[in-house]
Amino acid sequence: MTAVLELRDVRKSFGPIEILHGIDFALHAGEVHALIGENGAGKSTVMKILGGYLEPTSGGVLLDGKPAQYHSGAAAEAQGVVVIHQEFNLAPDLTVADNIWLGREMGGLFLDHKAMRAGAQALLDQLDCPVSPDARIRDLAVSDRQMVEIAKALGRKARVLIMDEPSAVLTHREVEVLFRMIDKLRAAGVALLYTSHRLEEISHLADRITVLRDGAVVRQAQRGELTEDGMATAMVGRDLNDIFPPRRADFGPVVLEVEDFAVPPLVQGVSLSLRRGEVLGISGLVGAGRTELAEGLVGLRPHHGQIRRNGVPVSIRNLSDAAHHRIAYLTEDRKERGLLLAKTLRENLTLSTLSRFGGALISRPAEEAALTQAISDFDIRAPSRDMAVGNLSGGNQQKLLLAKTMLPEPEIVIIDEPTRGIDIGTKSQIYHFIDRLAREGLSVIVISSDMPEILGLSDRVLVMRQGRVAGVLDGAAISETAVVRLVMGTTETVADEKAPAHA
Amino acid sequence: AQDKTFVIGVSIPSATHGFMGGLNWHAQQTIERLEATYPQLDFVLATVGEPGKQVDDLEDMLATRNIDGLVVLPFESEPLTGPVKAVKDAGKWVTVVDRGLSQPGIEDLYVAGDNTAFGQVAGEYFKANLQSGAKIVVLRGIPTTLDNERVDAFQKAIDGSGIEIVDMQHGNWNRDDAFTVMQDFLSKHPKIDAVWAADDDMALGVMEAIAQAGREDEMWIVGGAGMKEIIKRIMDGDKQIPVNVTYPPAQISAAIEMTALRFVSDTPVYGRFIIGSTLVTQENAERFYFPDSPF
Amino acid sequence: MPKLSLSTTGPLAALVLLIVLGAFLNDNFLSAGNITNVLARSAFIGMIAVGMTFVITSGGLDLSVGSMAAFIAGMMIMAMNAMLPTLGIGIPLVLAGMAVALLVGLLAGLGNGLLITRAGIEPFIVTLGTMGIFRSLVTWIADGGTLSLDFEARQFYRPVYYGGIFGIAWPIIVFAVVAVAGEIAMRHTRFGRYCEAIGSNDKVARYSAVKVERMQLWTYVALGLLVGLATILYVPRLGSASGSTGLLWELEAIAAVIIGGTALKGGYGRVWGTVVGVLILSLIDNILNLADLVSPYLNGAIQGVIIVLAVVLQRGKSSAEGR
Amino acid sequence: MPKLSLSTTGPLAALVLLIVLGAFLNDNFLSAGNITNVLARSAFIGMIAVGMTFVITSGGLDLSVGSMAAFIAGMMIMAMNAMLPTLGIGIPLVLAGMAVALLVGLLAGLGNGLLITRAGIEPFIVTLGTMGIFRSLVTWIADGGTLSLDFEARQFYRPVYYGGIFGIAWPIIVFAVVAVAGEIAMRHTRFGRYCEAIGSNDKVARYSAVKVERMQLWTYVALGLLVGLATILYVPRLGSASGSTGLLWELEAIAAVIIGGTALKGGYGRVWGTVVGVLILSLIDNILNLADLVSPYLNGAIQGVIIVLAVVLQRGKSSAEGR
Ligand SMILES: Nc1ncnc2c1ncn2[C@@H]1O[C@H](COP(=O)(O)OP(=O)(O)OP(=O)(O)O)[C@@H](O)[C@H]1O
Ligand SMILES: Nc1ncnc2c1ncn2[C@@H]1O[C@H](COP(=O)(O)OP(=O)(O)OP(=O)(O)O)[C@@H](O)[C@H]1O
Ligand SMILES: [Mg+2]
Ligand SMILES: [Mg+2]
């Protein structure tokens, strides 16, 4: 069986730094090939080279056994090699349908809006995605954007489909839809390349696995040859024992109480409390209003209702008020809301806490020291300290964002999707980090669409459905079945729910 | 006296409308001619669009071009008074053209048109040729002191004649603006007996607007400054544009030439030369017709 | 989408308010004559502003259009005067003049576009430069004065501005055609779609096989052609061009585009909004001339206030959120 | 980072080239007198352009600065003339005049800023509106003519432009102080950092607890104050204000900012680049006066060519990639 698309001894350097050191690697028709590796291992770079978006510094890309004749992503697409990028690749001012057909519009002299809308609708329906083809991208939640991105790629009729962490921002219902699509495409003979930091997805999907470490292939395996633990070990280069920290036992007094809290138009009548040293998980479907609740709590959205901090009623009208009450928030949308992609690591790290660095003038040494600290605390792997954050690998961006959020040393942290796009090793680091924080007396709210994460990390779980609290689970009552039942709003058992997200 | 060369700086506003265009043309023509005639003369010509920049130019002429004499048409009187005085204080010869400085006695030579007469001559023509109760409209230039002087003199001249100025707007000495304003005047006023356009560029715009409305027979127009096309029409006895009032752009030539004489000969050229504004009629029009000028 | 509809009706509402105000201030405001005047005069800036909508939508800017109009008018007049002895007065002469205008417009737009897309210089700087260049050249060619079309030729050419069919003046007809074509191009062709995509995020557009530089180049070329077309209708009006022709048209055209709801940062263009914006600007002038104000010195102030108000009306509260 | 260093040295290289050219054309070019002249007259636009750098860096724009300068000059002159009988000629009068200038500047900037940040209208439209308003008001107050400072008062005030210490003229000293303060504010204070953050992505800034609207408001207020400061130095030079004071300063200031390497779309500001940009623009004018050109009509063209060339030099090939 000849390879459809192949890399032969590919090297890639950015400036003086070599990122990929001689990669050999092939994709076959009707097969899902998984590429896994730590953050910054070079997965996205490999995918961009395959897709024509980057030229290798040396080595060759072979399509159907012959040197590939494309030098841009567009040219590659014309030959059936399609990439779903890790960063969103959608024009925010255009509608969903416009984006799906961008560059290959239907119609002759005039655009055939009807056909394109219908086509977009059909693609979205295939993906079970409820967004309207006429919605503007800038108004969509990140998960919906990802689904549009997938729809866009599906619309391109790929022979080779390369997916760079498509599931990172999806909830497991959407991931299931995605997997059904992948199965269909595999059956239809498409060659697929998939990457994800959720190893259970890999063992479920992959026919073949390539493990990348520091820009080199360290292991290639067939389906079933590698357990998830094996994958993790191969990626990280050492044994990973417990991913999740043990549960905490003693909690302090209640530090935050929220009563009858509403963030119009969606979130209504939310009450919750948070104790010192506790990790509260918030689960729910996309659009359940978790992000809105969090943004309301830290004053980013207009809201009403009672907030009591250490028993004292407080008013939080903006982020500065929240900071004053030692509450910090980490956004789920790191590209649009979290990081200035064109600025350096240092500038991003200190942006929200600048007043702590020097008096009238910013102290550069203090900033640099903070960056050094953050790089070691959060294991941020940047080829250079002065690079633009946009050139960091996705996972390292997330780590930087986490470092930025923790910089003001808050007492309460609300983390929206903490480990989106983070590799298993680092993930575990972050979990232990959160645990350490909680043990040191912080209180953490973790909003996550990653079921194992919610289950493994939370002392209590609050489930939201359609803007309201569907229920709170405590201690031993926390189980996947219970959470899923609340999430779905069903009373019958959903024990047979084959969540791919099973730790 | 061939051993020393003299440098004469000429600073004038740039050619942003017809009259200034003519003035620029005359200045360049004169300079070319004089440089050919008198090899010992060197001219530095600078044109500007803003009073502040004109001050810059004067400074540059003093600091880097070592001028011996200056011919300046101040963009505005007030702001240029100090800087021109500085040139004078540096011991240079100063000729002021058209717009007087706000402080007397700085310049050696003053050559100018007469803005008051410009408005007055026009006003007198209106007074003499319109009945009491006649309705006229006025197009003004760019808001400046000299525009104020002209309009004030015009109003004073028609005072007591019973002529009514039914509308007055700025046409900015610009054909397009004048066209637009006149179109709207024509929509607004069912009866207009005459138009004082105060400038020939504006007069041309006004005529087009009137032609478009088909009201050529209803009113006549008086422009100003003696543009060649207009003078030609007066020579031809065009009823729509019976007369014109001079305000010659060639005054700059007189000023430059007299200044040059100061350096190449011992002719005493101190003093004030006011070039009056005269009424151009069909009878005397030929004297004011220069077909080669761009204006 | 209540947000969309507010910003959609906004400029229209401002326009309607102005019309009501005008009708209230002066009886002749709604006369056929006045309406024709206002529309015909709007046509020049209007056509240019339609082209400018595409430039701005794709993330560009063109400050040179006013000077370009003066330059094209100058070249056209010179060419027609020069061809007069050969061609004689008649339709061939006028057509030749028009061809020159369109050609010069195309070349001027191409020049701007190439400097911006090939040399990669900021549009603001390139067109600020060419703005000075075009205007200087006209003044220089005209020797500081005015370039006038031969009188007889002009008489022949005159109906192109003043004439029309079915009682509608040519400039109005041409403007209407340009506006409709522009609206269609923006909404219903790839070109418009690509302009929006490029202005929204040029990297995404490039990844989606859109030829970014080529499209941007086209917007400047199209704008140049439209300036040429505007000039074709402008020259027969007064038959002349000088250094002050088209002064500040660039500012007026850009203002019209933005009043119409197109975002200055690009990504979202609305041609019909631009048309409304142009009409608003023309009407303000017209109303100021028709009404009797305290002092004509204050015209500029009132203009300024109305422009800001028109946009306040349009954006309403919605923008407190910010884009 | 070879890319950064190219764009860093670019404007400087253009400046050096111009200086060499000037020295070559005229022996007096490098004389103390000429250098003082050029630097002192750059001071007005210079200070304004420094303020504009912050406005543009944070994603804004201000077209009204030229008219604002005229307006402030008018108010300052009126106030000084009015206070003359009470205060007499002396330092108190001058100080009172300066206070008025700064106050009016502050209020004007505040007005622009509030309309932009509170009412949420595009900066282009707001400042286009206020540009018309300020200029009209000056013309109106001056009754179409010129507002002049009392002659005696002016004589007293004159040294503020023409005087200096250690042989350096006041405007140069003040400009230098403003430039250095601006550079420090941009690079080393929170304000500058926030401006860049807001211009890069205002949403991220907002999510990072930056008070976006307040910072933007501050940029306009600071610009207003700097326009006031520039006026304080400008009035003793000309002693008067009229409708043509400060004409097109806005374009010059914006051009200087962009020539200096600040991005028009915001997010990246370089104050010292702006200073270099201002000097480049001033030198072009100065050099045009030094040399005898073919025709003064072509000044604008040469200016345009040099501006474009200066930026080509700066951007070099690097920008083909695009930001
Ligand atoms: N344009 C660029 N300039 C400089 N360095 C770059 C650039 N693009 C990527 N890199 C670096 O190359 C390395 C590999 O990045 P890549 O995005 O391929 O990692 P990844 O394996 O996809 O990681 P993640 O799991 O975090 O997405 C990283 O160190 C990244 O910082
Ligand atoms: N019923 C609704 N009415 C109005 N807006 C809604 C509704 N449902 C969802 N949305 C919108 O959908 C988006 C998703 O909401 P939100 O981000 O709060 O959900 P979430 O539970 O945090 O999901 P995610 O997994 O995407 O983070 C929001 O922008 C919200 O405004
Ligand atoms: Mg990646
Ligand atoms: Mg969310």
Side-chain angles (χ1 to χ4, degrees):
Chain A
M1 185 161 117
T2 68
V4 183
L5 190 58
E6 204 175 341
L7 290 186
R8 290 253 177 93
D9 193 26
V10 160
R11 292 170 183 274
K12 176 69 191 172
S13 307
F14 292 106
I17 305 154
E18 191 174 85
I19 299 293
L20 298 180
H21 323 284
I23 305 282
D24 286 305
F25 168 80
L27 295 179
H28 300 275
E31 230 183 60
V32 176
H33 194 141
L35 187 61
I36 58 174
E38 287 182 290
N39 295 131
K43 302 180 295 296
S44 298
T45 309
V46 165
M47 293 180 157
K48 284 182 189 159
I49 291 173
L50 286 169
Y53 294 90
L54 284 177
E55 301 263 340
T57 310
S58 72
V61 183
L62 306 184
L63 181 63
D64 297 324
K66 292 183 284 286
Q69 294 299 327
Y70 46 75
H71 299 282
S72 73
E77 246 175 38
Q79 304 195 29
V81 180
V82 176
V83 179
I84 299 175
H85 292 272
Q86 184 174 14
E87 321 83 50
F88 290 119
N89 194 27
L90 301 168
D93 297 297
L94 300 192
T95 65
V96 169
D98 293 350
N99 265 290
I100 287 178
W101 300 113
L102 186 61
R104 15 175 267 121
E105 285 77 4
M106 298 179 183
L109 180 56
F110 299 115
L111 299 176
D112 188 344
H113 296 289
K114 226 165 128 193
M116 286 196 284
R117 194 174 298 125
Q121 187 68 62
L123 287 168
L124 292 168
D125 286 347
Q126 264 185 48
L127 291 173
D128 234 356
C129 177
V131 307
S132 151
D134 296 321
R136 291 206 183 272
I137 296 297
R138 75 162 70 252
D139 300 328
L140 294 186
V142 273
S143 54
D144 289 336
R145 290 188 207 174
Q146 184 67 60
M147 292 310 268
V148 173
E149 189 98 55
I150 294 168
K152 178 175 175 179
L154 291 179
R156 312 257 142 164
K157 302 269 178 290
R159 316 163 44 209
V160 180
L161 180 59
I162 298 167
M163 291 169 276
D164 195 353
E165 297 195 38
S167 62
V169 298
L170 301 180
T171 53
H172 66 252
R173 194 184 59 83
E174 289 165 319
V175 172
E176 275 180 65
V177 175
L178 174 65
F179 284 8
R180 281 206 302 274
M181 278 321 302
I182 291 176
D183 286 339
K184 257 196 243 168
L185 292 171
R186 168 164 47 194
V190 175
L192 296 125
L193 179 59
Y194 188 92
T195 187
S196 169
H197 290 294
R198 298 182 186 165
L199 299 181
E200 66 279 2
E201 293 180 358
I202 304 294
S203 50
H204 173 88
L205 270 183
D207 301 308
R208 213 185 277 261
I209 298 172
T210 296
V211 184
L212 220 55
R213 194 192 313 148
D214 293 332
V217 174
V218 293
R219 179 90 199 258
Q220 295 199 302
Q222 298 287 332
R223 176 185 281 277
E225 279 178 22
L226 267 179
T227 61
E228 286 170 29
D229 280 343
M231 289 181 220
T233 309
M235 277 166 57
V236 184
R238 62 190 147 83
D239 277 331
L240 275 179
N241 20 45
D242 296 325
I243 303 269
F244 291 104
R247 255 169 245 272
R248 294 143 298 270
D250 4 290
F251 307 113
V254 171
V255 291
L256 182 75
E257 266 179 296
V258 172
E259 243 172 65
D260 201 21
F261 193 77
V263 185
L266 183 62
V267 176
Q268 300 292 339
V270 171
S271 299
L272 61 83
S273 69
L274 186 65
R275 288 168 295 179
R276 192 178 140 92
E278 183 185 37
V279 177
L280 173 67
I282 300 185
S283 185
L285 289 180
V286 171
R290 296 165 299 173
T291 297
E292 273 144 316
L293 171 64
E295 293 191 351
L297 279 175
V298 296
L300 279 164
R301 286 174 187 260
H303 55 82
H304 43 85
Q306 269 276 336
I307 305 177
R308 277 193 298 277
R309 181 80 173 84
N310 295 328
V312 186
V314 294
S315 117
I316 299 180
R317 283 150 313 160
N318 53 44
L319 265 187
S320 313
D321 289 351
H324 176 75
H325 296 295
R326 313 287 301 271
I327 306 175
Y329 170 65
L330 185 145
T331 174
E332 64 176 334
D333 188 353
R334 70 168 175 252
K335 303 264 174 194
E336 289 279 325
R337 296 177 183 165
L339 296 172
L340 298 170
L341 299 179
K343 298 282 172 197
T344 62
L345 279 74
R346 175 177 52 81
E347 287 164 297
N348 272 287
L349 178 68
T350 59
L351 184 60
S352 45
T353 32
L354 262 188
S355 51
R356 295 160 161 246
F357 294 91
L361 299 187
I362 300 170
S363 160
R364 209 35 200 275
E367 279 191 293
E368 293 290 355
L371 179 58
T372 307
Q373 187 67 40
I375 286 178
S376 78
D377 280 359
F378 293 88
D379 191 24
I380 299 169
R381 300 195 190 161
S384 143
R385 284 171 75 103
D386 299 318
M387 68 196 290
V389 163
N391 288 338
L392 282 180
S393 80
N396 283 304
Q397 292 179 8
Q398 184 70 17
K399 293 188 218 166
L400 179 67
L401 185 56
L402 196 57
K404 174 183 167 184
T405 312
M406 296 313 298
L407 199 58
E409 297 173 351
E411 289 172 357
I412 298 173
V413 208
I414 306 173
I415 308 181
D416 203 349
E417 308 293 356
T419 56
R420 194 169 264 182
I422 286 195
D423 69 56
I424 180 92
T426 318
K427 226 181 215 176
S428 170
Q429 263 175 294
I430 288 177
Y431 295 148
H432 284 93
F433 188 75
I434 290 175
D435 175 60
R436 204 181 74 219
L437 294 176
R439 285 181 202 278
E440 284 168 4
L442 263 77
S443 310
V444 185
I445 296 179
V446 173
I447 299 173
S448 176
S449 304
D450 190 33
M451 186 62 70
E453 188 167 291
I454 287 283
L455 298 177
L457 205 55
S458 318
D459 299 309
R460 275 188 305 144
V461 178
L462 183 150
V463 179
M464 286 191 74
R465 195 170 60 238
Q466 289 168 2
R468 293 173 183 276
V469 177
V472 181
L473 302 168
D474 204 341
I478 302 175
S479 72
E480 179 163 3
T481 329
V483 173
V484 169
R485 191 183 296 159
L486 285 171
V487 163
M488 296 303 186
T490 44
T491 38
E492 67 271 25
T493 26
V494 257
D496 60 343
E497 155 106 355
K498 271 270 182 353
H502 207 292
Chain B
Q2 297 281 345
D3 45 334
K4 181 172 176 6
T5 55
F6 295 98
V7 184
I8 299 176
V10 179
S11 171
I12 54 178
S14 48
T16 50
H17 56 273
F19 171 77
M20 274 308 164
L23 195 125
N24 270 261
W25 184 80
H26 281 292
Q28 289 179 64
Q29 295 293 310
T30 312
I31 287 172
E32 257 174 51
R33 186 155 40 79
L34 290 174
E35 275 183 334
T37 320
Y38 305 111
Q40 71 269 42
L41 286 187
D42 235 353
F43 287 89
V44 180
L45 176 62
T47 65
V48 290
E50 192 235 319
K53 286 261 191 297
Q54 191 167 25
V55 178
D56 296 351
D57 285 351
L58 298 190
E59 286 175 355
D60 285 346
M61 286 178 182
L62 264 190
T64 62
R65 303 301 293 261
N66 299 320
I67 52 167
D68 300 287
L70 171 70
V71 179
V72 58
L73 197 167
F75 202 100
E76 270 170 20
S77 306
E78 291 288 347
L80 266 302
T81 299
V84 173
K85 185 163 181 297
V87 176
K88 180 68 209 167
D89 292 345
K92 314 298 181 192
W93 173 275
V94 170
T95 302
V96 173
V97 188
D98 195 33
R99 295 169 197 172
L101 300 176
S102 57
Q103 220 190 326
I106 295 173
E107 69 273 5
D108 298 288
L109 172 64
Y110 180 58
V111 179
D114 186 343
N115 285 306
T116 306
F118 182 88
Q120 190 187 339
V121 169
E124 279 161 3
Y125 181 82
F126 276 71
K127 192 172 179 177
N129 290 279
L130 288 172
Q131 318 267 308
S132 173
K135 293 183 190 310
I136 65 169
V137 293
V138 173
L139 282 92
R140 309 188 53 161
I142 295 169
T144 43
T145 317
L146 76 94
D147 185 63
N148 287 351
E149 284 173 16
R150 292 173 174 189
V151 173
D152 289 346
F154 179 84
Q155 280 174 314
K156 215 151 143 213
I158 61 169
D159 231 13
S161 65
I163 298 171
E164 188 193 351
I165 300 179
V166 294
D167 228 324
M168 189 141 82
Q169 281 286 352
H170 290 278
N172 305 322
W173 295 321
N174 177 301
R175 278 186 209 192
D176 288 302
D177 291 358
F179 176 81
T180 307
V181 168
M182 193 63 203
Q183 272 193 333
D184 290 343
F185 282 172
L186 289 165
S187 305
K188 187 175 173 187
H189 304 290
K191 179 172 179 290
I192 299 171
D193 297 300
V195 184
W196 185 45
D199 175 84
D200 288 337
D201 259 320
M202 291 204 284
L204 286 171
V206 165
M207 279 162 66
E208 282 303 335
I210 295 174
Q212 184 202 14
R215 288 164 70 174
E216 292 97 327
D217 296 333
E218 182 183 328
M219 65 196 86
W220 43 262
I221 308 153
V222 175
M227 183 189 279
K228 64 182 182 200
E229 287 89 350
I230 300 283
I231 301 290
K232 183 80 176 42
R233 284 179 180 236
I234 294 172
M235 279 162 63
D236 298 345
D238 190 332
K239 283 215 180 49
Q240 202 188 353
I241 189 134
V243 294
N244 199 271
V245 183
T246 59
Y247 195 85
Q251 57 181 284
I252 191 75
S253 304
I256 295 173
E257 273 177 47
M258 282 196 266
T259 307
L261 277 185
R262 154 75 181 71
F263 289 103
V264 297
S265 71
D266 297 326
T267 324
V269 291
Y270 296 90
R272 296 170 63 79
F273 296 82
I274 307 298
I275 302 168
S277 284
T278 42
L279 194 67
V280 182
T281 59
Q282 193 177 2
E283 289 73 47
N284 66 2
E286 204 144 358
R287 278 169 39 209
F288 301 93
Y289 186 54
F290 304 102
D292 292 339
S293 157
F295 182 64
Chain C
M1 318 187 155
K3 196 169 159 187
L4 191 72
S5 74
L6 173 68
S7 80
T8 307
T9 53
L12 263 182
L15 184 65
V16 170
L17 269 183
L18 273 177
I19 293 175
V20 170
L21 180 73
F24 178 77
L25 284 174
N26 191 301
D27 295 340
N28 293 320
F29 179 73
L30 292 177
S31 66
N34 191 52
I35 291 176
T36 297
N37 283 347
V38 172
L39 290 177
R41 276 174 213 170
S42 311
F44 315 132
I45 301 275
M47 286 182 265
I48 295 173
V50 168
M52 188 71 83
T53 310
F54 288 87
V55 169
I56 291 180
T57 299
S58 65
L61 193 71
D62 194 337
L63 296 173
S64 73
V65 288
S67 321
M68 196 193 283
F71 181 66
I72 298 174
M75 298 307 282
M76 182 181 179
I77 289 171
M78 293 224 310
M80 285 177 77
N81 286 344
M83 289 185 288
L84 185 67
T86 342
L87 294 179
I89 286 166
I91 291 180
L93 181 70
V94 169
L95 288 182
M98 289 179 173
V100 168
L102 292 178
L103 186 72
V104 176
L106 184 140
L107 291 177
L110 197 67
N112 278 339
L114 286 176
L115 276 170
I116 291 164
T117 59
R118 291 277 177 276
I121 314 173
E122 295 243 13
F124 185 94
I125 293 290
V126 167
T127 58
L128 183 73
T130 52
M131 165 170 129
I133 295 172
F134 291 137
R135 197 163 290 291
S136 269
L137 285 179
V138 162
T139 314
W140 183 61
I141 294 166
D143 234 343
T146 306
L147 288 164
S148 297
L149 185 56
D150 173 88
F151 185 76
E152 300 289 316
R154 164 126 194 271
Q155 285 307 108
F156 185 81
Y157 189 6
R158 218 173 158 269
V160 172
Y161 181 82
Y162 294 99
I165 35 172
F166 310 125
I168 303 173
W170 281 117
I172 303 178
I173 294 170
V174 177
F175 179 26
V177 170
V178 168
V180 170
E183 176 68 25
I184 291 174
M186 184 64 90
R187 286 283 142 263
H188 303 290
T189 71
R190 286 182 183 79
F191 178 59
R193 181 61 53 80
Y194 293 164
C195 286
E196 289 195 332
I198 294 167
S200 188
N201 186 333
D202 60 341
K203 199 172 152 203
V204 168
R206 190 167 284 126
Y207 272 21
S208 301
V210 174
K211 301 207 164 59
V212 174
E213 278 78 25
R214 189 178 304 172
M215 286 300 133
Q216 285 176 325
L217 182 61
W218 272 114
T219 62
Y220 291 98
V221 170
L223 179 54
L225 279 171
L226 283 169
V227 176
L229 188 60
T231 311
I232 287 175
L233 293 161
Y234 170 82
V235 167
R237 182 165 100 171
L238 296 177
S240 63
S242 72
S244 62
T245 300
L247 212 58
L248 296 186
W249 281 10
E250 58 280 352
L251 221 56
E252 235 175 287
I254 298 172
V257 171
I258 293 170
I259 292 174
T262 297
L264 187 59
K265 305 218 179 260
Y268 181 61
R270 202 153 61 181
V271 172
W272 71 260
T274 298
V275 173
V276 171
V278 169
L279 294 180
I280 288 178
L281 290 178
S282 289
L283 276 184
I284 295 176
D285 280 346
N286 184 242
I287 289 175
L288 285 175
N289 284 337
L290 290 181
D292 287 306
L293 284 169
V294 204
S295 159
Y297 296 139
L298 288 177
N299 280 1
I302 293 166
Q303 241 165 350
V305 170
I306 298 184
I307 290 174
V308 173
L309 282 184
V311 178
V312 171
L313 204 68
Q314 165 186 351
R315 306 285 143 105
K317 293 253 164 78
S318 72
S319 51
E321 282 253 330
R323 291 196 123 226
Chain D
M1 316 189 156
K3 196 168 160 184
L4 190 73
S5 74
L6 175 68
S7 80
T8 306
T9 53
L12 263 182
L15 184 65
V16 169
L17 269 183
L18 276 176
I19 292 176
V20 170
L21 181 72
F24 178 77
L25 284 174
N26 191 301
D27 296 339
N28 295 322
F29 177 74
L30 290 177
S31 67
N34 192 48
I35 291 176
T36 297
N37 283 345
V38 171
L39 289 177
R41 69 173 77 131
S42 309
F44 315 129
I45 301 276
M47 286 183 265
I48 296 173
V50 168
M52 189 72 84
T53 310
F54 288 87
V55 169
I56 291 181
T57 299
S58 65
L61 193 71
D62 194 335
L63 296 173
S64 72
V65 289
S67 320
M68 196 192 283
F71 181 66
I72 296 174
M75 298 307 282
M76 183 181 178
I77 288 170
M78 292 225 309
M80 285 177 78
N81 286 344
M83 288 185 289
L84 186 66
T86 341
L87 294 180
I89 286 167
I91 291 180
L93 181 71
V94 169
L95 289 181
M98 291 179 172
V100 168
L102 291 178
L103 186 73
V104 176
L106 185 141
L107 292 176
L110 197 67
N112 277 340
L114 286 176
L115 277 169
I116 291 164
T117 58
R118 292 276 175 279
I121 315 172
E122 295 244 13
F124 184 93
I125 292 289
V126 167
T127 57
L128 183 73
T130 52
M131 165 168 128
I133 294 173
F134 291 137
R135 199 164 288 291
S136 265
L137 285 178
V138 167
T139 314
W140 182 61
I141 294 169
D143 232 341
T146 311
L147 285 166
S148 299
L149 185 57
D150 173 88
F151 186 77
E152 301 288 314
R154 164 119 195 272
Q155 286 306 109
F156 186 81
Y157 190 5
R158 217 171 159 270
V160 171
Y161 181 80
Y162 291 96
I165 35 173
F166 309 126
I168 303 172
W170 282 117
I172 302 179
I173 295 169
V174 177
F175 179 27
V177 169
V178 167
V180 170
E183 176 68 26
I184 291 175
M186 183 65 90
R187 285 283 141 264
H188 302 289
T189 70
R190 268 169 264 155
F191 179 59
R193 192 66 73 74
Y194 290 158
C195 286
E196 288 199 336
I198 294 167
S200 303
N201 186 334
D202 60 340
K203 242 188 202 158
V204 171
R206 189 166 285 125
Y207 272 74
S208 303
V210 175
K211 301 205 165 63
V212 173
E213 278 78 25
R214 189 177 303 171
M215 286 301 135
Q216 286 176 324
L217 183 61
W218 272 114
T219 61
Y220 291 98
V221 170
L223 179 53
L225 279 171
L226 284 169
V227 176
L229 188 60
T231 312
I232 287 176
L233 293 161
Y234 179 80
V235 166
R237 186 178 194 215
L238 300 183
S240 67
S242 74
S244 62
T245 301
L247 212 59
L248 296 185
W249 281 11
E250 57 279 355
L251 222 56
E252 233 175 289
I254 298 172
V257 171
I258 294 169
I259 291 173
T262 297
L264 187 58
K265 305 221 178 260
Y268 182 62
R270 201 154 61 180
V271 172
W272 72 261
T274 298
V275 173
V276 172
V278 170
L279 293 180
I280 288 178
L281 290 177
S282 285
L283 276 184
I284 295 176
D285 282 346
N286 187 243
I287 287 175
L288 285 175
N289 282 338
L290 292 182
D292 284 309
L293 286 167
V294 204
S295 159
Y297 298 139
L298 289 177
N299 279 359
I302 293 166
Q303 244 163 348
V305 170
I306 297 184
I307 290 174
V308 173
L309 282 184
V311 178
V312 170
L313 205 67
Q314 165 185 351
R315 306 286 143 104
K317 292 252 164 79
S318 72
S319 53
E321 283 252 328
R323 292 196 127 230

